[in-house]
Amino acid sequence: MADGAALMGDYDYIIVGAGSAGCVLANRLSADPTKRVLILEAGGRDNWIWFHIPVGYLFAIGNPRSDWMFRTEQEEGLNGRSLAYPRGKVIGGSSAINAMIYMRGQAADYDHWRQLGLTGWGWRDVLPFFKQHEDNFLGNSEHHNTGGEWRVEAPRVNWDLLEAFRDAAEQAGVRKIPDFNTGDNEGSCYFHVNQRKGRRWSAARGFLKPALNRPNLRLETNCMVERVVFDGKRAVGVRWKQNGEVKTAKARGEIILSAGSLGSTQLLLLSGVGPAAQLRQFDIPVVLDKPGVGENLQDHLQIRMIHKVSGVKTLNETYHSLVGRAMMGLDYALRRRGPLTMAPSQLGLFTRSDPWRDRANIQFHVQPLSLDKFGDPLHRFPAFTTSVCNLQPASRGHVRLRSTDQASAPIIKPNYLAADEDRKVAADSLRVARNIVSKPALAPFYPEEYLPGQEAAPDNDDVKLAKAAGDIGTTIFHPVGTAKMGLPSDPTAVVDERLRVIGLEGLRVIDASVMPTITSGNTNSPTIMIAEKGAAMIREDAKVR
């Protein structure tokens, strides 16, 4: 990173947020040595061991060193519960604490965006941008690429229990497939992960750090951005607080918000871009009345079923054994293999909650372990967890200001299970899971439902099944959509198909908040694709000006 004196004066691009999208943007935009790029991150450096050992998510989530510690409001659909809402507080953002699962979603997700009028966002349009930065262990093919910055590897640990579960799923009609990332992810497969030789491969490691030796790129950490500065309808600068000192920087080109579905939304509102009535409640001068800012929040709710088992190994017993823990550490130290390389979920299944669906609409995350919640110790009894989530939820929530202090967490209201359709899918999802567990392949291990329990949610009662889903459901950390892409004729759209804030100049939003509808799977790699495509559009538009 160059020192401050070398970068005095205006910047061509100011990027707010060094998370998954921001790291890609910083790399791509600073590749032009004639452009000065400043990237501001509210968190710190990734100089903690648990950012790099894959199982470190157990220690990072729920830790104020690495997690912003957000919470949702009390959720009616979750029977009045409020959920922890983890977001990464470090360069690399949530890619430094997430599940490391490489997942693109379904071709139909992106074709739907194109059908909404968003030119250039169909599956065939976005596939080259996925491949552009990919370094996939599967090699070069029509679907994958090698040599890019975003490393994808096979898991480095095996569990007999998971193989039996996969066999049971096949007995229930879910076919085995070799790859979830060809456009159709229906089937079962072990998750491919963003790791390199047993270490987490975050966006900071892949994209940001290799670019920091460029003299035209400057990274500043621990920067709490307070607002975007406007000259009329043009964004011209950014104001932030760093180590108690207020600082500003000017942009002669563009300002890009990449602080995520919570951070970018909050910053737009604090800057006077959003629903005018909400802004006036806080005496924020209205730069642009934009009703869609903070609306359209979508997330994947996971319903975490737990089954006790016997006669087969799970991580629970190893975790509570001093010898077992020592062996895990030794295996990792010597071979970079074993349970310390585990993503939160190892086996995935995509299937339909009922046979009338036109594509897979539920995703399973299957783990050879169980615990009450992240941050808690594993259970002392052997068990596995079957988390199932609705990939295409109908419920919509919102993000709104709680105060004018940027350091104050926003109001987060996902409205899980608010839609009748989502409650029906939740009930059917539990039935699908129970059907798989009942198959002969798992019978030797005598699975016994611990949560929610057959007595709490009998199979033939939709209402009780939906209530049970509300009791045990939790976020799977995929908030999107709060600054959605749309046509200028759509009053709820925030950005156009080139990710420019509609009605303003010099300001773009490039992160998961621009998704009009959520993708059918884990959202980190789609966010990185959006940043790759967004950077290309910024460069194209700069040539036109």
Side-chain angles (χ1 to χ4, degrees):
M1 182 179 70
D3 62 28
L7 283 172
M8 295 296 288
D10 293 351
Y11 294 90
D12 294 283
Y13 304 112
I14 299 176
I15 304 164
V16 180
S20 296
C23 288
V24 177
L25 289 161
N27 183 297
R28 297 301 189 244
L29 296 179
S30 67
D32 180 348
T34 70
K35 303 296 184 183
R36 290 181 169 183
V37 181
L38 172 65
I39 182 166
L40 303 172
E41 167 56 37
R45 294 279 189 153
D46 59 348
N47 53 358
W48 185 37
I49 190 172
W50 294 119
F51 287 133
H52 305 292
I53 296 177
V55 81
Y57 70 89
L58 287 170
F59 308 101
I61 292 175
N63 186 327
R65 174 174 182 167
S66 46
D67 181 355
W68 285 106
M69 305 292 288
F70 294 134
R71 294 198 68 88
T72 71
E73 300 299 290
Q74 292 183 338
E75 288 282 297
E76 292 82 357
L78 304 186
N79 306 319
R81 292 186 301 128
S82 167
L83 299 182
Y85 217 62
R87 295 284 90 194
K89 188 181 180 182
V90 62
I91 59 170
S94 294
S95 76
I97 68 171
N98 72 356
M100 297 165 283
I101 292 172
Y102 182 70
M103 185 66 60
R104 296 172 177 172
Q106 298 170 1
D109 299 328
Y110 304 97
D111 289 342
H112 175 62
W113 294 3
R114 186 193 64 226
Q115 290 156 9
L116 293 174
L118 299 171
T119 303
W121 288 95
W123 172 249
R124 288 297 169 191
D125 302 309
V126 303
L127 182 58
F129 293 99
F130 276 114
K131 294 175 66 176
Q132 183 172 328
H133 51 248
E134 191 180 21
D135 184 22
N136 199 304
F137 77 103
L138 292 173
N140 292 303
S141 69
E142 63 175 310
H143 302 297
H144 295 297
N145 200 8
T146 58
E149 298 89 349
W150 198 223
R151 180 62 183 165
V152 182
E153 295 189 349
R156 299 168 74 88
V157 62
N158 301 303
W159 297 90
D160 292 341
L161 176 59
L162 295 185
E163 192 60 32
F165 193 99
R166 198 179 185 201
D167 289 341
E170 187 173 46
Q171 291 168 349
V174 181
R175 65 192 177 104
K176 297 178 181 180
I177 61 173
D179 183 9
F180 281 138
N181 292 295
T182 63
D184 177 7
N185 55 19
E186 188 164 5
S188 76
C189 183
Y190 289 100
F191 287 122
H192 301 160
V193 291
N194 293 118
Q195 294 181 10
R196 183 180 290 279
K197 297 180 179 178
R199 288 172 63 86
R200 175 187 289 272
W201 195 251
S202 71
R205 291 190 69 196
F207 296 96
L208 181 60
K209 289 183 177 182
L212 287 178
N213 61 350
R214 296 172 182 167
N216 60 325
L217 174 62
R218 180 175 181 177
L219 166 68
E220 292 290 332
T221 57
N222 302 304
C223 299
M224 189 62 70
V225 177
E226 297 179 335
R227 61 186 172 92
V228 177
V229 179
F230 290 93
D231 180 3
K233 299 293 186 184
R234 181 169 186 84
V236 295
V238 173
R239 172 188 171 102
W240 73 93
K241 188 174 289 184
Q242 185 181 30
N243 302 322
E245 182 181 353
V246 175
K247 299 182 179 182
T248 60
K250 293 183 179 179
R252 60 191 175 197
E254 296 192 54
I255 294 166
I256 306 146
L257 304 186
S258 296
S261 292
L262 308 183
S264 291
T265 298
Q266 188 176 17
L267 187 53
L268 283 170
L269 294 170
L270 290 172
S271 303
V273 181
Q278 183 185 162
L279 301 179
R280 292 187 182 111
Q281 287 177 358
F282 293 95
D283 296 322
I284 297 173
V286 178
V287 174
L288 182 67
D289 181 9
K290 185 62 69 174
V293 173
E295 301 303 311
N296 194 48
L297 174 63
Q298 298 156 63
D299 191 12
H300 290 140
L301 179 75
Q302 60 172 334
I303 305 167
R304 296 182 65 250
M305 299 182 73
I306 294 173
H307 287 82
K308 294 181 177 182
V309 290
S310 60
V312 67
K313 183 180 178 181
T314 78
L315 188 60
N316 290 9
E317 311 93 275
T318 306
Y319 176 86
H320 288 288
S321 162
L322 288 177
V323 173
R325 294 173 86 162
M327 293 302 294
M328 284 195 300
L330 188 63
D331 195 15
Y332 187 77
L334 296 179
R335 303 194 306 146
R336 289 287 188 266
R337 291 188 174 275
L340 293 187
T341 69
M342 283 172 57
S345 303
Q346 296 76 54
L347 177 64
L349 281 75
F350 288 80
T351 188
R352 308 177 195 211
S353 60
D354 66 66
W356 296 277
R357 301 276 168 177
D358 60 358
R359 58 181 169 130
N361 72 310
I362 56 175
Q363 176 184 6
F364 284 80
H365 293 256
V366 191
Q367 308 156 289
L369 57 87
S370 64
L371 69 170
D372 289 332
K373 63 180 185 300
F374 285 116
D376 286 359
L378 302 186
H379 292 142
R380 288 191 171 273
F381 50 80
F384 66 90
T385 301
T386 306
S387 291
V388 57
C389 66
N390 180 356
L391 294 170
Q392 297 132 24
S395 301
R396 297 290 183 269
H398 58 255
V399 174
R400 293 178 184 162
L401 290 180
R402 192 179 303 276
S403 81
T404 55
D405 181 3
Q406 172 67 358
S408 176
I411 294 170
I412 305 167
K413 184 72 174 173
N415 284 330
Y416 297 118
L417 301 179
D420 291 342
E421 177 185 340
D422 290 352
R423 292 192 293 275
K424 173 61 173 162
V425 171
D428 287 341
S429 297
L430 287 169
R431 293 189 184 101
V432 172
R434 285 173 171 170
N435 181 45
I436 292 172
V437 173
S438 72
K439 294 305 179 187
L442 283 168
F445 310 130
Y446 305 100
E448 175 190 349
E449 188 173 311
Y450 176 73
L451 281 179
Q454 290 277 357
E455 69 286 350
D459 249 358
N460 61 349
D461 194 316
D462 274 6
V463 174
K464 289 183 178 179
L465 284 167
K467 181 184 183 302
D471 286 335
I472 63 176
T474 187
T475 177
I476 205 164
F477 323 132
H478 298 162
V480 309
T482 52
K484 75 169 189 175
M485 275 192 287
L487 299 177
S489 58
D490 179 356
T492 65
V494 177
V495 300
D496 63 16
E497 75 281 358
R498 298 190 74 78
L499 309 181
R500 301 170 296 202
V501 176
I502 299 169
L504 298 174
E505 297 180 5
L507 183 63
R508 300 196 203 218
V509 181
I510 302 181
D511 56 31
S513 66
V514 306
M515 294 186 189
T517 53
I518 195 166
T519 54
S520 298
N522 306 71
T523 54
N524 188 235
S525 287
T527 300
I528 287 174
M529 177 279 293
I530 288 169
E532 186 79 80
K533 184 171 171 61
M537 292 190 290
I538 290 171
R539 295 194 301 266
E540 290 168 2
D541 292 348
K543 292 177 182 177
V544 173
R545 287 199 298 269

